[in-house]
């Protein structure tokens, strides 16, 4: 399982991904799911992945090695795209390329071609954007009405984001919300686990501001979990009991 | 869609169910999903339903009208069972009976035999119990380690229950947690909606203490939603910003 969220606010982009993968409950490992493509001054892009690990890794490697253009024969890599939209199109093309290679064989093994991506960043001084990409290579874009997108095990952590994320919040408050959302998810699904990778990219900085891995036992994250639990308990206590029956 | 939760604490049982059903997004209706079987002094039982409405209604009607015993020819109803375990077995038999009638036809129409139940209560001075029942008629029992069970759209509302429900909390605090959990679910999935039906049965009272429908706009529930939102915002504010990057 996987949980990744991307948050795009006025000040910039936050992307957060867990690192737990499993092929059955008896085969649990740690793999990086947040991949960063950066050339300071020109572009910063990040791809967070969910779904079948062999598929997502094949897509990432294709984007690094280059996807051959069927007309010109040229190899196109993510580092050369002229805009985020062109980048998303290239990611989509890489997904379809990998589908062409393995889709049929997976089907024969009764394995679904299951993969999804969050693709965020800024290229060449263009607009900072965040996309969610599906297995067919199609995608939707995050807008200021709901300034976050999630892939993987998204339900447990959504109520927190629904209530705390608006387009105008501070970038590190957005990260804090994302971490609380990750904590809620990890608590409810053991298929999502530490360490956690985070990226912060400030709008128009043309480079990442923070690339960090939160390891198990890290004091800030431990404190965040404790405080959030305590605050929820207090919030709960502060609500009066229902006035029905003998509750009043 | 549906969300129901059952909470079994030291003092008794709380069951909460929404009432929204939909056959496609363009066909949304209100149906009771919390069904109560009660004979004060002898038993109080409640069945909350999720899944295909025609299946769950057929099971409920079968339990009311009586399920024929294949050996004796006698009709058995839920009101005559000698214990909660026998009741759960009868509900299971009713599910299998309905599956026999409609399972094949549903399959031909590519409709899954999708149904689940929460079955809680107390019979004849026996142990108060809460079961979750699956489409094959099999079931699991709620225990004090995790004193709640959920059916339907369970993920959005689980983090709240995980953090607030213990076996020792007051019965109406348990209801309050259940209502907050319902609120989180309704906020994230429009397939779950008001009004909300609640049951409270105190242990060894041999009758329900409260059977209530919370209608839209009811002041207590409205206040609970507002307070919970405000408390979450405050909880969020009270956590320091991440000390990474420029967040510190």
């Amino acid at each position: 399982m996987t949980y990744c969220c991307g948050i795009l606010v006025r000040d910039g982009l936050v992307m957060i991904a867990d690192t737990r993968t499993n092929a059955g409950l008896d085969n649990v490992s740690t793999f990086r799911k947040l991949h960063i493509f950066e050339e300071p001054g020109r572009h910063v892009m990040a791809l967070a992945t969910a779904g079948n690990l062999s598929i997502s890794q094949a897509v990432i490697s294709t984007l690094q090695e280059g996807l051959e253009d069927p007309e010109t024969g040229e190899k196109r890599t993510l580092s050369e795209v002229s805009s985020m939209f062109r980048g998303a199109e290239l990611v989509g093309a890489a997904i379809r390329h990998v589908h062409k290679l393995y889709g049929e064989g997976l089907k024969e093994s009764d394995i679904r071609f299951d993969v999804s991506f969050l693709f965020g960043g800024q290229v060449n001084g263009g607009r900072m954007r965040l996309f969610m990409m599906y297995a067919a290579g199609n995608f939707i874009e995050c807008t200021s009405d709901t300034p976050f997108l999630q892939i993987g095990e998204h339900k447990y952590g959504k109520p927190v984001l629904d209530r705390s994320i608006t387009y105008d919040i501070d970038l590190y408050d957005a990260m804090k919300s994302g971490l609380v959302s990750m904590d809620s998810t990890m608590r409810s699904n053991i298929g999502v686990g530490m360490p956690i990778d985070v990226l912060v990219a400030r709008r128009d900085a043309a480079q990442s501001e923070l690339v960090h891995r939160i390891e198990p036992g890290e004091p800030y994250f431990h404190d965040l979990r404790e405080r959030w639990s305590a605050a929820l308990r207090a919030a709960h206590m502060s609500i009066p009991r229902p006035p029905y029956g003998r509750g009043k």
Side-chain angles (χ1 to χ4, degrees), chain A:
Chain A
M1 211 53 217
T2 289
Y3 177 54
C4 306
C5 68
I7 306 170
L8 184 63
V9 294
R10 189 179 302 282
D11 292 343
L13 173 72
V14 176
M15 288 178 71
I16 303 177
D18 85 311
T19 54
R20 190 163 291 174
T21 65
N22 64 295
L25 273 176
D26 54 352
N27 188 356
V28 174
S29 313
T30 299
F31 280 87
R32 173 173 277 273
K33 301 173 196 170
L34 182 63
H35 303 269
I36 295 160
F37 299 78
E38 183 172 18
E39 189 186 315
R42 186 185 179 277
H43 66 251
V44 54
M45 290 176 271
L47 260 176
T49 67
N52 185 301
L53 186 65
S54 76
I55 301 172
S56 63
Q57 287 192 341
V59 172
I60 297 288
S61 294
T62 302
L63 292 166
Q64 287 166 337
E65 300 263 325
L67 179 70
E68 201 173 294
D69 187 309
E71 286 169 22
T72 63
E74 261 180 298
K75 290 212 166 183
R76 294 174 299 162
T77 68
L78 204 49
S79 303
E80 295 154 14
V81 295
S82 58
S83 69
M84 280 300 293
F85 181 71
R86 293 295 175 211
E89 285 187 326
L90 186 62
V91 176
I95 297 171
R96 289 193 303 278
H97 170 75
V98 172
H99 183 266
K100 210 181 239 172
L101 290 176
Y102 306 114
E104 203 53 47
L106 289 169
K107 210 174 184 176
E108 275 169 32
S109 307
D110 267 335
I111 297 172
R112 215 156 50 88
F113 189 83
D114 169 30
V115 75
S116 56
F117 297 87
L118 295 177
F119 176 56
Q122 195 170 16
V123 174
N124 254 347
R127 201 147 52 85
M128 182 165 251
R129 300 174 85 166
L130 173 64
F131 300 100
M132 176 156 65
M133 316 209 43
Y134 302 99
N138 56 329
F139 49 90
I140 61 168
E141 180 171 7
C142 184
T143 67
S144 56
D145 285 331
T146 305
F148 64 87
L149 292 171
Q150 306 166 286
I151 54 173
E153 176 62 282
H154 62 281
K155 291 190 179 183
Y156 295 119
K158 184 164 180 284
V160 170
L161 299 178
D162 276 336
R163 290 173 195 273
S164 62
I165 302 279
T166 64
Y167 189 65
D168 295 315
I169 63 172
D170 175 89
L171 202 46
Y172 288 85
D173 282 337
M175 190 212 278
K176 192 170 75 175
S177 291
L179 292 177
V180 172
S181 169
M182 179 62 79
D183 173 44
S184 294
T185 308
M186 290 196 302
R187 205 180 155 111
S188 289
N189 186 333
I190 57 157
V192 178
M194 306 277 287
I196 300 164
D197 287 315
V198 295
L199 163 90
V200 174
R202 196 168 290 271
R203 199 178 288 269
D204 299 329
Q207 62 183 359
S208 61
E209 181 167 305
L210 172 74
V211 175
H212 181 65
R213 170 163 285 192
I214 301 172
E215 299 284 353
E218 217 214 55
Y220 172 75
F221 191 66
H222 180 81
D223 182 58
L224 173 139
R225 305 185 85 163
E226 295 288 312
R227 281 178 188 253
W228 184 247
S229 280
L232 285 196
R233 279 193 298 275
H236 200 265
M237 296 293 287
S238 77
I239 297 177
R241 281 189 189 153
Y244 323 120
R246 283 205 257 157
K248 47 187 161 262

